[in-house]
CSV table of all heavy atoms in Angstrom, one decimal:
chain,number,residue,atom,x,y,z
A,263,PRO,N,-31.4,-21.8,27.7
A,263,PRO,CA,-30.5,-21.3,28.7
A,263,PRO,C,-29.9,-20.0,28.3
A,263,PRO,O,-29.7,-19.7,27.1
A,263,PRO,CB,-29.4,-22.4,28.8
A,263,PRO,CG,-30.1,-23.6,28.3
A,263,PRO,CD,-31.1,-23.2,27.3
A,264,SER,N,-29.6,-19.1,29.3
A,264,SER,CA,-29.1,-17.8,28.9
A,264,SER,C,-27.7,-17.8,28.2
A,264,SER,O,-27.4,-17.0,27.4
A,264,SER,CB,-28.9,-17.0,30.2
A,264,SER,OG,-28.1,-17.6,31.2
A,265,LYS,N,-26.9,-18.9,28.5
A,265,LYS,CA,-25.6,-19.0,27.8
A,265,LYS,C,-25.7,-20.0,26.7
A,265,LYS,O,-26.5,-21.0,26.8
A,265,LYS,CB,-24.6,-19.4,28.8
A,265,LYS,CG,-24.3,-18.4,29.9
A,265,LYS,CD,-23.1,-18.9,30.8
A,265,LYS,CE,-22.8,-17.8,31.9
A,265,LYS,NZ,-21.7,-18.2,32.8
A,266,GLY,N,-25.0,-19.7,25.6
A,266,GLY,CA,-25.1,-20.7,24.5
A,266,GLY,C,-25.9,-20.1,23.3
A,266,GLY,O,-26.4,-18.9,23.4
A,267,MET,N,-26.0,-20.8,22.3
A,267,MET,CA,-26.7,-20.4,21.1
A,267,MET,C,-28.1,-20.1,21.3
A,267,MET,O,-28.8,-20.8,22.0
A,267,MET,CB,-26.6,-21.4,20.0
A,267,MET,CG,-25.1,-21.7,19.5
A,267,MET,SD,-25.1,-22.7,18.0
A,267,MET,CE,-25.8,-21.6,16.8
A,268,LEU,N,-28.6,-18.9,20.8
A,268,LEU,CA,-30.0,-18.5,20.9
A,268,LEU,C,-30.4,-18.4,22.4
A,268,LEU,O,-31.5,-18.7,22.7
A,268,LEU,CB,-30.9,-19.4,20.1
A,268,LEU,CG,-30.5,-19.8,18.7
A,268,LEU,CD1,-31.4,-20.8,18.1
A,268,LEU,CD2,-30.4,-18.5,17.9
A,269,GLY,N,-29.5,-18.0,23.2
A,269,GLY,CA,-29.7,-17.9,24.6
A,269,GLY,C,-30.9,-17.0,25.0
A,269,GLY,O,-31.1,-16.0,24.4
A,270,SER,N,-31.7,-17.5,26.0
A,270,SER,CA,-32.8,-16.7,26.6
A,270,SER,C,-34.0,-16.5,25.6
A,270,SER,O,-34.9,-15.8,25.9
A,270,SER,CB,-32.3,-15.4,27.1
A,270,SER,OG,-31.3,-15.5,28.1
A,271,MET,N,-33.9,-17.2,24.5
A,271,MET,CA,-35.0,-17.1,23.5
A,271,MET,C,-36.0,-18.2,23.8
A,271,MET,O,-35.7,-19.3,24.2
A,271,MET,CB,-34.5,-17.2,22.1
A,271,MET,CG,-33.4,-16.2,21.7
A,271,MET,SD,-34.0,-14.6,21.5
A,271,MET,CE,-35.1,-14.7,20.0
A,272,ARG,N,-37.3,-17.9,23.5
A,272,ARG,CA,-38.3,-18.9,23.5
A,272,ARG,C,-38.1,-19.8,22.3
A,272,ARG,O,-37.8,-19.3,21.2
A,272,ARG,CB,-39.7,-18.3,23.5
A,272,ARG,CG,-40.1,-17.4,24.7
A,272,ARG,CD,-41.6,-17.1,24.6
A,272,ARG,NE,-41.9,-16.0,25.6
A,272,ARG,CZ,-42.1,-14.8,25.3
A,272,ARG,NH1,-42.1,-14.4,24.0
A,272,ARG,NH2,-42.4,-13.9,26.2
A,273,ALA,N,-38.4,-21.1,22.5
A,273,ALA,CA,-38.1,-22.0,21.4
A,273,ALA,C,-38.9,-23.3,21.7
A,273,ALA,O,-39.4,-23.6,22.7
A,273,ALA,CB,-36.6,-22.3,21.3
A,274,LEU,N,-38.9,-24.2,20.6
A,274,LEU,CA,-39.4,-25.6,20.8
A,274,LEU,C,-38.3,-26.3,21.6
A,274,LEU,O,-37.1,-26.0,21.5
A,274,LEU,CB,-39.6,-26.2,19.5
A,274,LEU,CG,-40.6,-25.7,18.5
A,274,LEU,CD1,-40.5,-26.4,17.2
A,274,LEU,CD2,-42.0,-25.8,19.1
A,275,PRO,N,-38.7,-27.3,22.4
A,275,PRO,CA,-37.7,-28.2,22.9
A,275,PRO,C,-36.9,-28.9,21.8
A,275,PRO,O,-37.4,-29.1,20.7
A,275,PRO,CB,-38.6,-29.3,23.7
A,275,PRO,CG,-39.9,-28.6,23.9
A,275,PRO,CD,-40.1,-27.7,22.7
A,276,ASP,N,-35.6,-29.2,22.1
A,276,ASP,CA,-34.8,-29.8,21.1
A,276,ASP,C,-33.9,-30.9,21.7
A,276,ASP,O,-34.1,-31.2,22.9
A,276,ASP,CB,-34.0,-28.8,20.3
A,276,ASP,CG,-33.0,-28.1,21.1
A,276,ASP,OD1,-32.5,-28.7,22.0
A,276,ASP,OD2,-32.7,-26.9,20.8
A,277,ASP,N,-33.1,-31.5,20.9
A,277,ASP,CA,-32.3,-32.6,21.4
A,277,ASP,C,-30.8,-32.3,21.7
A,277,ASP,O,-29.9,-33.1,21.5
A,277,ASP,CB,-32.3,-33.8,20.4
A,277,ASP,CG,-31.8,-33.5,19.1
A,277,ASP,OD1,-31.5,-32.3,18.8
A,277,ASP,OD2,-31.6,-34.4,18.3
A,278,ASN,N,-30.6,-31.0,22.1
A,278,ASN,CA,-29.2,-30.5,22.5
A,278,ASN,C,-28.2,-30.6,21.3
A,278,ASN,O,-27.0,-30.8,21.6
A,278,ASN,CB,-28.7,-31.3,23.7
A,278,ASN,CG,-29.5,-31.1,24.9
A,278,ASN,OD1,-30.1,-30.0,25.1
A,278,ASN,ND2,-29.6,-32.1,25.8
A,279,TRP,N,-28.7,-30.3,20.1
A,279,TRP,CA,-27.7,-30.1,19.0
A,279,TRP,C,-26.8,-28.9,19.3
A,279,TRP,O,-27.2,-28.0,20.1
A,279,TRP,CB,-28.4,-29.9,17.7
A,279,TRP,CG,-29.4,-28.8,17.7
A,279,TRP,CD1,-30.7,-28.8,18.1
A,279,TRP,CD2,-29.1,-27.4,17.5
A,279,TRP,NE1,-31.3,-27.5,18.1
A,279,TRP,CE2,-30.3,-26.6,17.7
A,279,TRP,CE3,-28.0,-26.7,17.1
A,279,TRP,CZ2,-30.4,-25.3,17.5
A,279,TRP,CZ3,-28.0,-25.3,16.9
A,279,TRP,CH2,-29.2,-24.6,17.1
A,280,ALA,N,-25.7,-28.9,18.7
A,280,ALA,CA,-24.7,-27.8,19.0
A,280,ALA,C,-23.8,-27.7,17.8
A,280,ALA,O,-23.8,-28.5,16.8
A,280,ALA,CB,-23.9,-28.1,20.2
A,281,ALA,N,-23.0,-26.6,17.8
A,281,ALA,CA,-22.1,-26.3,16.6
A,281,ALA,C,-21.1,-27.5,16.4
A,281,ALA,O,-20.7,-27.8,15.3
A,281,ALA,CB,-21.4,-25.0,16.9
A,282,GLY,N,-20.8,-28.1,17.5
A,282,GLY,CA,-19.8,-29.2,17.4
A,282,GLY,C,-20.3,-30.6,17.4
A,282,GLY,O,-19.5,-31.5,17.3
A,283,THR,N,-21.6,-30.8,17.5
A,283,THR,CA,-22.1,-32.1,17.6
A,283,THR,C,-23.5,-32.2,17.2
A,283,THR,O,-24.3,-31.3,17.2
A,283,THR,CB,-22.0,-32.6,19.1
A,283,THR,OG1,-22.4,-34.0,19.2
A,283,THR,CG2,-22.8,-31.8,20.0
A,284,ASN,N,-23.9,-33.4,16.7
A,284,ASN,CA,-25.3,-33.7,16.4
A,284,ASN,C,-26.1,-33.8,17.7
A,284,ASN,O,-25.6,-34.1,18.7
A,284,ASN,CB,-25.5,-35.0,15.6
A,284,ASN,CG,-24.8,-34.9,14.2
A,284,ASN,OD1,-24.7,-33.8,13.6
A,284,ASN,ND2,-24.4,-36.0,13.7
A,285,GLY,N,-27.5,-33.7,17.5
A,285,GLY,CA,-28.3,-33.9,18.7
A,285,GLY,C,-28.5,-35.4,18.9
A,285,GLY,O,-28.2,-36.2,18.1
Side-chain angles (χ1 to χ4, degrees):
S264 58
K265 294 183 179 180
M267 296 190 67
L268 310 178
S270 301
M271 301 291 290
R272 296 189 192 104
L274 298 173
D276 65 31
D277 63 348
N278 294 328
W279 55 271
T283 183
N284 294 332

